[in-house]
Amino acid sequence: MDAAPPDITDDAVTSRRTSWRRTLGSGVLLVVVVAAFGWALKGQWPDIVDQLKRQRPEVLVAALLVALVGVFMSFLLWRGTLRVLGSGLPVRPAARLFFVTQLGKYLPGAVWPVLAQMRMGRDLGVPRQRMGLAFLLTLGLSTLVGVLVGVSALPALLEAEGRVVLLGLLAVPVLLALLVPRVLNTLLDRALRMLRRPGLEAPLAGRDMARGVAWAIAFWVVYGGHVWVLAVGLGADPWRALPVAIGGFAIAFSLGPLLVVLPAGAGVREAVLVLLLHSVLSTSEATAVALTSRGILMATDGLLALAAGLVPQRRLLPEP
């Protein structure tokens, strides 16, 4: 007599259904963010192509390589933050999660990347709250440090907007206070209690904040370096353009997330860059640099997402 087939328990069926739903949900989300990226690229492609023609090919390649390194550094900053919070992920699955979900920023609103990370992170054993905190802490830290790095473009800001810019310096002490671990831990705990969520599993230590700030400064210097390459490629003086390009890009890019209704800070970054680069370039040249920068950053996001998407996804641990 043939052996009876093994019983399939209700728990096993439920687990399979849950896994299937997660896979389907993640797949749909990926399709949406990739479609949003393609739509954004299609809409801006004619203007970008016109400006790309103004640069030499070797300048474009150099700027693209610098931008690739800068974006990869932002990934390492995010991965380090996630590790500090208690979830250390191997590089390959973490890169797939990070770079693919970053395409969500091309949808209107700033919430899509974090929602995608929280959903995909479950398959890697990362609790949703921890994944959300890693995203917000990385974004908050890079934004605060970006504004501070933007002070290096202060002479250009004063030239463009006059003394009204000095009022903005009043925010610097507040930004520095937010980087103090005790202050940040208190604010995070209160915010989580207001949302009726568990508090921090472990307070952020001073060494963690110092490492994060140092890494964020290095990230902005490298990331903004691609604007400097483009500006010098159009004839800007290298030494005069250095603080304007790096500081200007840092503050312009940091202002983007504050306008959550715009996809990837559309328009804000370019307007601020043109305003600041006008101190070292003509208006038309500054506009060319700003639009070329957007094209290069879109290419960077697409290339890294494509490369990371080819890495097979691997489940590590069940979600706590």
Side-chain angles (χ1 to χ4, degrees):
M1 181 179 292
D2 294 336
D7 293 333
I8 300 178
T9 65
D10 291 340
D11 289 343
V13 172
T14 302
S15 177
R16 290 180 182 178
R17 287 177 179 174
T18 301
S19 177
W20 182 83
R21 288 174 182 171
R22 287 182 177 179
T23 302
L24 179 61
S26 298
V28 170
L29 193 58
L30 289 178
V31 170
V32 171
V33 297
V34 171
F37 173 76
W39 181 261
L41 182 61
K42 178 183 177 181
Q44 301 179 47
W45 185 248
D47 290 338
I48 291 172
V49 169
D50 288 341
Q51 302 306 326
L52 288 175
K53 295 176 182 178
R54 302 184 64 170
Q55 291 280 9
R56 299 190 305 276
E58 61 270 23
V59 173
L60 295 175
V61 172
L64 178 62
L65 292 176
V66 173
L68 284 168
V69 174
V71 177
F72 192 80
M73 290 178 68
S74 72
F75 157 68
L76 295 179
L77 176 61
W78 168 82
R79 181 169 172 260
T81 303
L82 192 59
R83 183 175 60 250
V84 168
L85 293 175
S87 290
L89 293 178
V91 173
R92 292 174 63 187
R96 183 181 189 275
L97 187 155
F98 180 83
F99 291 121
V100 174
T101 58
Q102 285 300 294
L103 298 183
K105 66 187 179 183
Y106 292 97
L107 287 167
V111 299
W112 303 110
V114 64
L115 292 179
Q117 287 182 11
M118 290 168 68
R119 174 174 285 276
M120 292 180 64
R122 291 186 303 179
D123 293 335
L124 298 178
V126 182
R128 286 178 294 181
Q129 176 172 312
R130 190 179 298 168
M131 184 64 76
L133 277 175
F135 176 89
L136 293 176
L137 282 173
T138 304
L139 178 62
L141 178 63
S142 59
T143 299
L144 292 176
V145 174
V147 174
L148 294 174
V149 171
V151 174
S152 63
L154 184 59
L157 281 170
L158 289 172
E159 179 181 335
E161 294 296 323
R163 294 183 179 180
V164 69
V165 174
L166 295 176
L167 295 175
L169 295 179
L170 297 176
V172 171
V174 177
L175 299 180
L176 293 174
L178 292 175
L179 297 176
V180 177
R182 180 177 297 179
V183 175
L184 184 58
N185 287 326
T186 300
L187 291 176
L188 288 174
D189 279 328
R190 290 182 178 177
L192 290 171
R193 282 201 300 269
M194 290 177 61
L195 296 173
R196 298 182 179 180
R197 303 297 300 175
L200 290 174
E201 300 172 61
L204 299 173
R207 63 179 179 276
D208 297 325
M209 289 299 299
R211 188 184 304 115
V213 169
W215 193 254
I217 292 173
F219 153 68
W220 282 120
V221 171
V222 174
Y223 203 22
H226 85 278
V227 175
W228 177 76
V229 172
L230 294 174
V232 172
L234 288 183
D237 179 81
W239 290 111
R240 285 188 62 209
L242 187 61
V244 176
I246 293 177
F249 178 77
I251 196 167
F253 205 93
S254 297
L255 292 176
L258 300 180
L259 299 176
V260 297
V261 297
L262 299 178
V268 177
R269 187 164 68 225
E270 288 78 11
V272 176
L273 271 179
V274 171
L275 188 68
L276 296 177
L277 290 174
H278 183 62
S279 63
V280 293
L281 292 170
S282 67
T283 301
S284 63
E285 290 170 336
T287 303
V289 169
L291 290 176
T292 305
S293 169
R294 174 163 285 274
I296 284 177
L297 294 186
M298 292 182 75
T300 299
D301 289 335
L303 289 173
L304 289 173
L306 178 62
L310 298 177
V311 177
Q313 189 172 9
R314 182 176 57 179
R315 186 184 300 276
L316 299 180
L317 296 170
E319 181 183 353

